[in-house]
Amino acid sequence: MIKRAAQVKLIDEQGRRVDGRLPDEMRPLRIEVGKLKSADGSAYVELGSNKVIAAVYGPREVVPRHEVIPDRALLRCRYAMLPFSVAERKSPQPTRREIEISKVVREALVPAVFLEEYPRTAIDVYINVLEADGGTRTASIIAAATALADAGIAMRDLVAAVAIGKIGNLLVVDINGVEDQYGDGDMPIAMMPRYGEITLIQADGVFTKEEVKRALELASKHIDEIHRLQIKALKETYAKIEEGE
Ligand code: ADP
């Protein structure tokens, strides 16, 4: 039976969400850097029950050669959800959704990377979602940006992201799968935190001008916190290398 939004209570009498969070509360975020030894850079991100791994290869030779860009690097991103990442097996064939997310993740990262430092090369970012529960594109951006930094790619800043949701007239931070399915809006936002520059904003649902303003304020606050965790994870990896681990 198809459930209708009205049948799913997304906010209880205490103002708590389906997973017990307050509207302004993110799911626990864990970032681990350098999990994949064969990649030039990698990062594993857990955002609630989302599990995402990003691997960066490059700068390296461009294949096929006709894709070479003479004055900068070619940044390629491939986002894929593994067949077991959702309750009902997902076909391994790239879906339209995965092609769209690959494109928007790439666009969210491009402003942060000094592509002109690496002419005639390719930088490939592979993102695999091991488990999905709403917000995989924002978790992917967090993982990919951290993996690029781990690969030693010159960057203006990291990129961090969070999705703001709408339940009735209430804005909530970091929507999960159920909220995404039965809520009234989803606005993924990515920023270069040091510059406060937005590199991605999408909206599914109807947001008033005032709601967009508040969503950006909310996102910005949480993006600063995510940025701190990205830097902490990167620093911890290099501290371990110095200790000879
Ligand atoms: P995001 O993961 O960035 O929120 P969407 O809004 O497109 O992207 O997807 C929301 C959620 O819907 C995903 O995180 C995932 O939990 C679920 N989902 C997406 N594709 C599928 C699928 N093919 N089968 C089952 N669930 C899916």
Side-chain angles (χ1 to χ4, degrees):
M1 191 183 80
I2 298 167
K3 286 187 190 166
R4 304 240 174 268
Q7 289 176 269
V8 182
K9 199 171 185 184
L10 294 176
I11 303 283
D12 72 10
E13 285 72 20
Q14 282 75 44
R16 299 250 172 205
R17 295 156 65 181
V18 277
D19 51 13
R21 281 183 292 156
L22 291 168
D24 186 16
E25 206 178 322
M26 273 193 62
R27 290 171 287 185
L29 173 65
R30 189 158 79 88
I31 308 174
E32 280 185 58
V33 173
K35 290 290 261 188
L36 303 175
K37 300 301 168 209
S38 62
D40 294 309
S42 62
Y44 170 72
V45 165
E46 279 185 13
L47 176 65
S49 47
N50 288 302
K51 297 183 180 64
V52 174
I53 186 132
V56 170
Y57 293 84
R60 64 181 179 181
E61 193 184 346
V62 180
V63 181
R65 296 296 299 164
H66 67 84
E67 287 187 4
V68 163
I69 308 174
D71 61 349
R72 67 200 139 93
L74 171 70
L75 180 70
R76 293 185 288 212
C77 283
R78 200 210 61 193
Y79 162 103
M81 286 214 315
L82 295 177
F84 53 79
S85 63
V86 283
E88 199 164 313
R89 181 184 179 277
K90 189 211 145 276
S91 156
Q93 295 300 326
T95 59
R96 286 170 60 139
R97 176 181 167 275
E98 287 167 303
I99 294 165
E100 181 234 346
I101 296 183
S102 301
K103 178 178 181 286
V104 300
V105 168
R106 181 187 171 277
E107 287 170 359
L109 297 170
V110 162
V113 183
F114 285 109
L115 294 174
E116 58 282 11
E117 293 281 323
Y118 310 101
R120 310 190 67 80
T121 67
I123 301 171
D124 289 306
V125 184
Y126 299 101
I127 301 155
N128 279 294
V129 178
L130 315 179
E131 204 172 321
D133 183 26
T136 61
R137 81 190 65 204
T138 54
S140 298
I141 291 168
I142 298 167
T146 314
L148 281 165
D150 181 44
I153 306 286
M155 294 168 82
R156 285 178 185 84
D157 193 2
L158 288 164
V159 183
V162 70
I164 305 297
K166 186 172 157 177
I167 300 173
N169 290 323
L170 185 68
L171 292 184
V172 297
V173 172
D174 178 31
I175 54 167
N176 64 30
V178 174
E179 291 172 332
D180 184 272
Q181 202 176 345
Y182 301 109
D184 302 292
D186 174 18
M187 186 182 289
I189 297 167
M191 286 184 189
M192 286 196 280
R194 277 171 56 202
Y195 301 96
E197 202 174 296
I198 299 165
T199 66
L200 168 77
I201 179 162
Q202 294 185 282
D204 185 4
V206 178
F207 290 82
T208 64
K209 207 168 157 186
E210 184 53 33
E211 283 169 341
V212 173
K213 194 165 158 265
R214 275 199 294 128
L216 285 170
E217 283 164 6
L218 263 178
S220 172
K221 184 179 116 190
H222 288 276
I223 280 173
D224 284 344
E225 183 53 31
I226 298 166
H227 190 223
R228 265 192 289 280
L229 293 177
Q230 287 173 300
I231 291 171
K232 186 166 166 268
L234 284 159
K235 278 189 178 159
E236 275 168 6
T237 314
Y238 289 98
K240 275 187 200 156
I241 292 171
E242 274 178 19
E243 285 163 16
E245 243 184 64

